Amino acid sequence: MQTLNFLKPNRDNIKNYSIIGSFLVLVSLIDVISNAFLKVNLTSFLPGSLTSLFPLIIGLIGLNMMRIDYSGNKKLDLLNKNINTNNFNALLTLVILFSIIKALPQSLSWMIFDATISGDSKDACTGTGACWTYIKVWFRRFMYGMYPNEFHWRINTAFILVIALGFVGYFMKENLKKYLALYYVIIYPVIAYLVIYYLISGGSFGLQWVETGAWGGLSLTFIVSFFCLIFCFPLGMIFALGRRSSLPVIKYISICYIEFWRGVPLITVLFMSSVMFPMFLPEDFFMDKLVRVIIAITLFEAAYCAEVIRGGLQSLPRGQYDAAKSLGMGYWKMHIFVILPQALKLVIPGIANTFLALVKDTPLIFVVGLAELAGMLALAKTNPKWLGFAMEGYIFASIVFWIICYAMSKYSYNLEAKYKTER
Amino acid sequence: MSDPIIKIQNMNKWFGDFQVLKNINLEVEANKKIVVCGPSGSGKSTLIRCINRLEEHQEGDIIVDGNELSEKTKDIEKIRAEVGMVFQQFNLFPHLSILDNCTLAPIWVKKMPKKEAQELALDQLKKVQIDDQANKFPGQLSGGQQQRCAIARALCMQPKIMLFDEPTSALDPEMIKEVLDAMVSLAKGGMTMIVVTHEMGFAKEVADEVIFMDEGMIIEKADTKEFFANPKSDRTKLFLSQIL
């Protein structure tokens, strides 16, 4: 800006300019903070409209004065390079900063200072803040659904067992490592299924039978996500290889499969699995609704996995195939030892993406009557005793889902770093 | 005179409508070293890729060590295991260490015990003088070292024939020598070799025969001395005058 040229520092008094500039920015920040938190208007002596603009103008002038190229001060240079490159960016910085400061007191007081957590009924929530009592009272329902309270230990035990079994791979002896893939693709899912079947479903070993309709809450989210993740990956791998096969029958079956499942919305697939599918089955054949839903989601997500993996396969240079072939490796050896280890490494971000989407798609099973975490919320918020707390419920659910998904994406970054190789 | 180990008769190959190889006839006896040269696009690489069926030919016969190569060939893997190949771009497996690159195929294709395979690999790596790099990964090695490792990897399968597809073309000049040295010592060991290269010094030193190709045809095939001293066709003379 031409008019602001007099504010440009010259070489001789860089220090003065940076001190005055940071002082002005500080003044503007103090003004906004005191306004937001203490409800004190320091600039009440100014005419109305100017009062609200005052911090912005002062801050802008301050940032303008601080914008010194090669000041020699590392922190100042970093600041200038990132959020203070020109007047427009300085303005954006200030507006965003001030908005956050202004929004903070209200949200903090709603979520924490004015919130209620004591008591065990709606009557406890009389304040203006959030009613965390609601979450507290419903917590077990959100975690375990309609599963009988006295049997919750069965779910906990089953999960601990399944997680422990998942770590077996880390402690396998060197000479057993070659069975690692076999373990995770076939043995582990089967054992996990048996553990969950006998512990959570019960019906034998003196454990009372609990039908899957009563399962729910976060534990159901975990069960559905777990089985879908563990099965959709190998299935996707098979279809990815199939789509690149030179045998026309396999190739076209794979293409049809992938295009079919990618073309259908998940919600219709779920409806089909629970409403239509039983009609095609023989009378005496019974398949649990939960199992049908898990199969449906698995088949659906496998198509997405297949395309992600195919992307990885295609990004490998042809020379890798040539080299493996020239050493006398057949199709399977070539893929198992040379192609897939490299391709799968490349698709970790894409697979993580698909898996995250899968976890966040699980609430859709509510449409067929299975209430996992988000489904339980929907049930709870229509409970006549607890009307009007949808907001708290959704905030709770978002935090839980965010933690799960963030953990997954962190894990995928770790995997990426661990298996990084130079080309 | 023994039976040829590689026999190619009236071979033709097309990429789509474009004929890359025209009426190729070639016989290679065991322990002979053949250098194939010619301008780029003349079909040299395609010719040697046909010998281990990385490319499929449409007409004619290719017989390698008594086995005919065609769509009907059931165990093409077995034939490929007998024919080692070294590529222009090295094509090492980047996710495996140098040692694992060399032992992978012997262990899984030849069913060799792991320990034996490692001994063999270290032995071969020693011959190309990179046994001290055995535990590094390909990305950590120079181009010349990678190419020598690729040679060792092919040799670990104990092949009867070695094919080299422009092994030095992707290398910095000072690294070419170390790779060529490894190839020369291999040649002196009596291996049957077919080498596509522009290194005429190498051809003069080790080749028994030189083949000159252009536009998918074998223009000239002669003993090495004869080829350089007294080339017959004008195309060969022109090529040699430009390259030497």
Side-chain angles (χ1 to χ4, degrees):
Chain A
M1 259 187 265
Q2 202 63 40
T3 49
L4 286 179
N5 258 355
F6 70 96
L7 294 171
K8 279 277 164 226
N10 53 36
R11 288 272 153 206
D12 311 324
N13 48 14
I14 281 177
K15 204 170 179 188
N16 292 342
Y17 268 94
S18 61
I19 288 173
I20 297 173
S22 40
F23 174 72
L24 287 177
V25 173
L26 199 69
V27 167
S28 74
L29 278 175
I30 288 173
D31 182 42
V32 174
I33 289 173
S34 64
N35 206 335
F37 283 90
L38 309 171
K39 311 265 184 252
V40 179
N41 193 351
L42 294 177
T43 53
S44 52
F45 55 87
L46 289 167
S49 58
L50 218 60
T51 308
S52 48
L53 282 178
F54 173 76
L56 215 53
I57 296 166
I58 292 289
L60 206 55
I61 295 173
L63 283 179
N64 191 285
M65 292 178 82
M66 280 163 70
R67 199 175 303 131
I68 305 161
D69 296 332
Y70 311 112
S71 62
N73 184 335
K74 263 190 189 163
K75 280 179 189 157
L76 189 59
D77 279 345
L78 201 70
L79 184 95
N80 283 337
K81 221 162 121 188
N82 288 305
I83 58 172
N84 191 17
T85 44
N86 55 37
N87 282 323
F88 179 68
N89 282 352
L91 184 68
L92 280 184
T93 304
L94 288 175
V95 167
I96 292 169
L97 203 63
F98 292 168
S99 318
I100 292 174
I101 292 173
K102 291 225 167 179
L104 217 54
Q106 273 103 331
S107 36
L108 278 182
S109 62
W110 186 83
M111 281 181 72
I112 297 168
F113 300 120
D114 294 344
T116 323
I117 195 160
S118 59
D120 45 16
S121 75
K122 192 184 175 182
D123 304 332
C125 296
T126 48
T128 50
C131 181
W132 299 124
T133 315
Y134 165 72
I135 303 293
K136 192 182 76 180
V137 172
W138 282 83
F139 188 74
R140 277 186 167 240
R141 295 276 86 82
F142 290 155
M143 293 296 115
Y144 304 104
M146 296 303 171
Y147 203 86
N149 276 358
E150 63 271 28
F151 298 143
H152 285 173
W153 65 269
R154 277 159 57 178
I155 298 186
N156 295 340
T157 321
F159 280 179
I160 290 169
L161 270 176
V162 168
I163 291 170
L165 284 166
F167 280 104
V168 165
Y170 280 101
F171 302 108
M172 265 191 184
K173 285 204 183 104
E174 199 58 40
N175 54 347
L176 287 173
K177 283 268 184 205
K178 56 185 163 188
Y179 301 114
L180 207 62
L182 181 78
Y183 174 74
Y184 278 113
V185 174
I186 296 166
I187 301 173
Y188 180 52
V190 170
I191 298 179
Y193 175 80
L194 292 177
V195 166
I196 285 175
Y197 180 80
Y198 281 110
L199 262 170
I200 302 185
S201 267
S204 49
F205 301 121
L207 296 174
Q208 197 189 318
W209 172 263
V210 182
E211 60 158 357
T212 53
W215 302 16
L218 189 63
S219 56
L220 186 64
T221 309
F222 279 140
I223 292 171
V224 172
S225 312
F226 173 77
F227 282 112
C228 293
L229 292 185
I230 212 164
F231 288 124
C232 84
F233 184 63
L235 199 62
M237 209 151 80
I238 290 169
F239 282 109
L241 291 176
R243 189 161 183 175
R244 287 169 59 83
S245 169
S246 55
L247 307 171
V249 177
I250 293 177
K251 183 176 173 179
Y252 287 107
I253 287 176
S254 305
I255 291 179
C256 288
Y257 177 90
I258 290 169
E259 294 308 334
F260 172 76
W261 289 101
R262 287 206 308 171
V264 191
L266 181 55
I267 205 156
T268 58
V269 174
L270 289 172
F271 266 124
M272 288 283 280
S273 75
S274 84
V275 184
M276 299 286 287
F277 183 66
M279 290 188 212
F280 303 128
L281 291 177
E283 284 283 314
D284 51 347
F285 186 87
F286 172 76
M287 196 189 260
D288 193 274
K289 184 155 76 177
L290 181 60
V291 176
R292 292 198 306 260
V293 161
I294 288 176
I295 292 175
I297 300 180
T298 304
L299 295 178
F300 181 85
E301 295 291 342
Y304 285 87
C305 273
E307 285 297 272
V308 172
I309 295 172
R310 191 169 67 95
L313 290 174
Q314 268 171 351
S315 66
L316 286 190
R318 187 179 156 199
Q320 293 291 314
Y321 292 86
D322 285 347
K325 280 184 198 164
S326 78
L327 288 167
M329 294 189 199
Y331 180 85
W332 289 111
K333 281 175 191 161
M334 173 170 81
H335 278 93
I336 291 170
F337 297 117
V338 178
I339 304 302
L340 283 175
Q342 295 182 63
L344 295 184
K345 218 179 287 180
L346 292 170
V347 299
I348 289 173
I351 288 289
N353 222 358
T354 311
F355 281 9
L356 285 173
L358 192 161
V359 171
K360 290 189 289 182
D361 276 348
T362 51
L364 281 178
I365 65 176
F366 189 52
V367 301
V368 296
L370 291 167
E372 48 64 75
L373 178 56
M376 280 314 293
L377 276 172
L379 290 179
K381 82 173 183 205
T382 53
N383 186 308
K385 281 188 198 157
W386 289 94
L387 287 176
F389 297 114
M391 182 70 122
E392 285 86 344
Y394 285 123
I395 288 178
F396 174 70
S398 352
I399 293 172
V400 171
F401 269 104
W402 185 82
I403 291 171
I404 297 170
C405 294
Y406 185 70
M408 283 173 68
S409 74
K410 262 284 173 222
Y411 182 65
S412 90
Y413 289 138
N414 283 348
L415 276 185
E416 245 178 279
K418 187 174 164 192
Y419 292 116
K420 197 176 167 199
T421 43
E422 292 167 58
R423 273 226 147 258
Chain B
M1 194 168 150
S2 60
D3 264 353
I5 193 163
I6 299 173
K7 199 170 175 183
I8 302 176
Q9 283 176 329
N10 304 322
M11 195 257 278
N12 288 295
K13 174 169 175 57
W14 288 264
F15 282 138
D17 291 335
F18 177 69
Q19 187 168 8
V20 255
L21 293 174
K22 297 168 191 163
N23 198 24
I24 303 287
N25 286 289
L26 180 66
E27 289 187 2
V28 181
E29 286 162 37
N31 305 333
K32 284 280 158 66
K33 291 104 188 90
I34 312 282
V35 163
V36 184
C37 60
S40 59
S42 58
K44 323 176 286 284
S45 293
T46 313
L47 172 63
I48 69 164
R49 287 169 65 86
C50 281
I51 294 174
N52 63 359
R53 212 168 161 73
L54 289 178
E55 300 284 354
E56 294 170 13
H57 60 284
Q58 279 87 19
E59 278 177 14
D61 304 320
I62 301 179
I63 299 164
V64 176
D65 197 23
N67 303 290
E68 191 182 336
L69 304 185
S70 68
E71 305 92 70
K72 289 173 203 140
T73 316
K74 279 281 182 294
D75 37 9
I76 182 70
E77 283 87 36
K78 246 183 203 160
I79 300 166
R80 281 181 184 150
E82 305 273 299
V83 183
M85 184 149 182
V86 176
F87 301 88
Q88 184 178 359
Q89 297 295 344
F90 330 136
N91 295 345
L92 293 178
F93 307 135
H95 61 300
L96 296 176
S97 71
I98 296 302
L99 187 64
D100 289 341
N101 261 283
C102 295
T103 57
L104 183 69
I107 290 174
W108 293 99
V109 178
K110 282 192 142 186
K111 311 282 178 212
M112 198 183 271
K114 194 174 178 187
K115 210 164 179 195
E116 198 181 320
Q118 280 178 344
E119 276 165 22
L120 173 69
L122 281 174
D123 196 41
Q124 295 294 355
L125 287 171
K126 195 164 194 158
K127 278 184 191 159
V128 293
Q129 293 163 8
I130 44 169
D131 49 328
D132 50 335
Q133 316 279 347
N135 292 317
K136 288 193 183 168
F137 283 83
Q140 299 167 313
L141 266 55
S142 74
Q145 288 171 322
Q146 288 195 45
Q147 191 61 297
R148 283 184 282 153
C149 169
I151 295 172
R153 176 178 72 177
L155 290 174
C156 280
M157 289 298 284
Q158 295 162 315
K160 291 181 180 165
I161 304 161
M162 283 286 282
L163 307 173
F164 292 82
D165 186 2
E166 304 202 28
T168 56
S169 301
L171 294 174
D172 288 344
E174 66 253 52
M175 293 175 183
I176 291 177
K177 190 177 174 298
E178 60 188 51
V179 172
L180 288 180
D181 286 347
M183 288 165 65
V184 169
S185 71
L186 178 64
K188 299 218 163 106
M191 176 65 75
T192 312
M193 291 163 73
I194 300 182
V195 185
V196 173
T197 186
H198 298 295
E199 295 294 328
M200 289 303 130
F202 172 80
K204 280 177 186 163
E205 188 175 350
V206 299
D208 297 307
E209 272 184 306
V210 179
I211 290 172
F212 176 72
M213 286 182 72
D214 192 21
E215 292 176 350
M217 285 178 289
I218 294 182
I219 304 284
E220 191 155 350
K221 176 172 182 276
D223 283 352
T224 309
K225 273 183 191 156
E226 181 81 8
F227 181 84
F228 287 107
N230 195 9
K232 294 206 174 52
S233 87
D234 292 340
R235 185 69 188 87
T236 318
K237 281 176 198 160
L238 180 67
F239 179 76
L240 286 176
S241 73
Q242 280 164 350
I243 204 167
L244 288 178

